[in-house]
Amino acid sequence: MLEANGSTKVCSLSTMARLTGPERRRKGRLKLPQTVRVRPSDARGHDFDEILPTLNTSRESVYFASKNEFYTEGMRVFVTYPYADGPGSLNRESLGRVVRVDDLGHGRRGIAVEILMPVYLGGKETLK
């Protein structure tokens, strides 16, 4: 449910203007679906753990569709991209921030996440 005070912003595809000018993104987008794992960095509000295919990606961001209603602009999330669950998989988790939530229709929402920084847990730096 969207909050009545309007603090949660959802863009509709019908209201989003298609840019006809030069590309504003710093990095190109890859439209090949890859798997991403997303979970909130602060589970006090809503706790979820999703593994989803991406719609497009870059080095600095991921965009995916979800039926989860808990994503809001500014929300901090842990993102594992690319994600694999096979034995020996090297999954690198990063801290991200939701920068846009789009209404894709049929209960689906497009979630754009900017990757802010990698998260290192339990690793030790090698001293020289």
Side-chain angles (χ1 to χ4, degrees), residues 11-29:
C11 300
S12 167
L13 286 179
S14 61
T15 61
M16 290 175 49
R18 296 284 178 208
L19 295 176
T20 57
E23 177 66 49
R24 296 185 306 164
R25 292 186 180 110
R26 288 176 286 184
K27 304 286 183 184
R29 310 295 287 174

Side-chain angles (χ1 to χ4, degrees), residues 4-58:
N5 65 9
S7 64
T8 302
K9 297 179 183 176
V10 177
C11 300
S12 167
L13 286 179
S14 61
T15 61
M16 290 175 49
R18 296 284 178 208
L19 295 176
T20 57
E23 177 66 49
R24 296 185 306 164
R25 292 186 180 110
R26 288 176 286 184
K27 304 286 183 184
R29 310 295 287 174
L30 177 64
K31 294 186 180 183
L32 178 68
Q34 296 193 20
T35 305
V36 64
R37 178 183 179 202
V38 184
R39 59 193 183 91
S41 68
D42 182 2
R44 286 181 280 174
H46 300 284
D47 190 19
F48 59 87
D49 191 342
E50 295 191 297
I51 298 172
L52 304 160
T54 61
L55 298 176
N56 64 57
T57 61
S58 75

Side-chain angles (χ1 to χ4, degrees), residues 2 8-10 37-40 46 48-50 52 64-73 75 77 98 100-101 109 111 113:
L2 296 178
T8 302
K9 297 179 183 176
V10 177
R37 178 183 179 202
V38 184
R39 59 193 183 91
H46 300 284
F48 59 87
D49 191 342
E50 295 191 297
L52 304 160
F64 56 91
S66 174
K67 290 190 175 188
N68 186 337
E69 299 176 355
F70 301 126
Y71 290 103
T72 58
E73 279 189 34
M75 177 182 198
V77 291
V98 176
R100 192 176 76 242
V101 179
R109 301 168 83 201
I111 313 299
V113 176

